[in-house]
Amino acid sequence: MKVGFLQTFPIFGKKQENVEAAVSLIKGMDADLVVLPELFNTGYQFTSWEESLALAEAVPDGETTQSLIKLAKEKRISIVAGLAEREKGTCYNSAVLVSPQGFVGCYRKLHLFYNEKLWFAPGDRPLEVYNIGTVTIGIMICFDWFFPEVARALAVKGADILCHPANLVLPYCPQAMITRCIENRVFAITANRIGTERRTEESLSFIGTSQILGTKGEILYRASPDREESMAIEINPHNARNKHITPVNHLFDDRRITFGV
Ligand code: ACM
């Protein structure tokens, strides 16, 4: 299976341009699964709840999800993409999964970072995993990495690959995700953005370094901090199913749940 990511530089508010740019990059890729950054269509630094509501879209009926569904069908590819989701009067920082079969699911970010709390409501649904063919994927968004129980819960539910749209500003995540992979024996694809946004007094610079990690924490590919990139590599996702650390140690069976750990 070929899995990859786009590392892009979205222009704030220019949804049509951002989506068209991503669609054209994906069209040029040879991949079965591609992960796009968090909020890839809108940009990141909203200034108010009203602004996020104005730019957010319904899922799956909104234009962005519909464009991705069309592309997924044409290209026979699965895509995980971060976007602002609107449902009634509420806005979520979400990620959709679309496949050649159409819309598969939507994850609403559980752990909002910093001023995101002013622009979005926190996720209100349990974590889920999704099957694409014989592979099971889990979705987490950016700051969710800081809460190791997210990756753990997805792995326990059966995720082979953690798909991780991100807009990282803190420097720790690329290294921390190595540990998330080792401790859960899963692959992880972090798709981050690059560039700087300064829509308020505070400027935010995004660290790039999107990456594809193996089940033992191997860095199979790590992108540059400051260039747009599209990358896909071959993996065997079923390697994530072997949870034996030694012949007598099993990652999940050895947990001491009755003792609270
Ligand atoms: C983040 O969660 N976008 C840092």
Side-chain angles (χ1 to χ4, degrees):
M1 179 186 197
K2 275 200 154 174
V3 301
F5 61 79
L6 292 188
Q7 174 165 293
T8 57
F9 189 163
I11 308 302
F12 190 88
K14 302 278 183 204
K15 282 202 294 186
Q16 195 181 335
E17 286 91 324
N18 294 332
V19 173
E20 280 173 10
V23 166
S24 139
L25 284 169
I26 293 173
K27 280 189 174 163
M29 290 178 81
D30 175 17
D32 303 297
L33 169 67
V34 177
V35 184
L36 274 59
E38 178 182 13
L39 298 168
F40 90 96
N41 61 340
T42 55
Y44 182 78
Q45 199 181 27
F46 294 88
T47 53
S48 66
W49 176 263
E50 289 72 26
E51 188 178 51
S52 54
L53 263 183
L55 284 168
E57 296 179 16
V59 171
D61 293 337
E63 281 179 5
T64 300
T65 308
Q66 287 299 316
S67 302
L68 295 175
I69 290 171
K70 183 166 173 279
L71 176 65
K73 288 185 175 178
E74 273 169 22
K75 215 172 141 69
R76 306 213 54 77
I77 191 173
S78 296
I79 303 166
V80 174
L83 46 74
E85 178 195 1
R86 187 179 59 227
E87 189 187 55
K88 302 195 179 90
T90 303
C91 194
Y92 302 93
N93 183 343
S94 298
V96 294
L97 168 62
V98 301
S99 82
Q101 278 71 49
F103 176 71
V104 179
C106 176
Y107 165 69
R108 293 175 171 167
K109 186 176 185 177
L110 288 170
H111 302 96
L112 297 175
F113 177 69
Y114 193 35
N115 284 337
E116 286 173 33
K117 293 191 177 197
L118 305 176
W119 318 321
F120 299 111
D124 56 352
R125 295 176 181 152
L127 286 166
E128 266 190 80
V129 294
Y130 306 94
N131 293 323
I132 49 168
T134 63
V135 177
T136 306
I137 70 161
I139 303 175
M140 50 191 271
I141 300 179
C142 205
F143 191 51
D144 282 329
W145 75 265
F146 226 109
F147 301 84
E149 55 273 26
V150 175
R152 174 63 111 203
L154 291 171
V156 169
K157 283 172 183 282
D160 303 310
I161 306 173
L162 302 180
C163 296
H164 184 208
N167 274 191
L168 295 163
V169 289
L170 303 178
Y172 322 111
C173 174
Q175 290 305 102
M177 284 304 288
I178 292 174
T179 305
R180 295 293 96 77
C181 288
I182 296 170
E183 67 199 4
N184 293 298
R185 274 278 170 90
V186 289
F187 292 88
I189 307 167
T190 297
N192 192 26
R193 60 162 292 174
I194 57 164
T196 297
E197 282 185 359
R198 195 193 175 109
R199 303 194 62 252
T200 66
E201 293 300 287
E202 191 170 20
S203 101
L204 291 175
S205 290
F206 302 94
I207 67 167
T209 58
S210 299
Q211 61 188 9
I212 304 170
L213 300 176
T215 56
K216 296 185 177 151
E218 319 91 293
I219 303 172
L220 302 176
Y221 183 80
R222 184 175 276 175
S224 70
D226 53 8
R227 282 196 317 277
E228 294 194 273
E229 292 190 40
S230 52
M231 173 56 61
I233 60 167
E234 185 79 35
I235 63 163
N236 180 356
H238 293 150
N239 287 345
R241 307 242 167 127
N242 176 3
K243 303 295 187 191
H244 279 284
I245 303 162
T246 73
V248 295
N249 291 106
H250 188 274
L251 199 50
F252 295 156
D253 297 348
D254 280 13
R255 287 178 302 151
R256 307 303 305 275
I257 293 170
T258 47
F259 294 97
V261 289

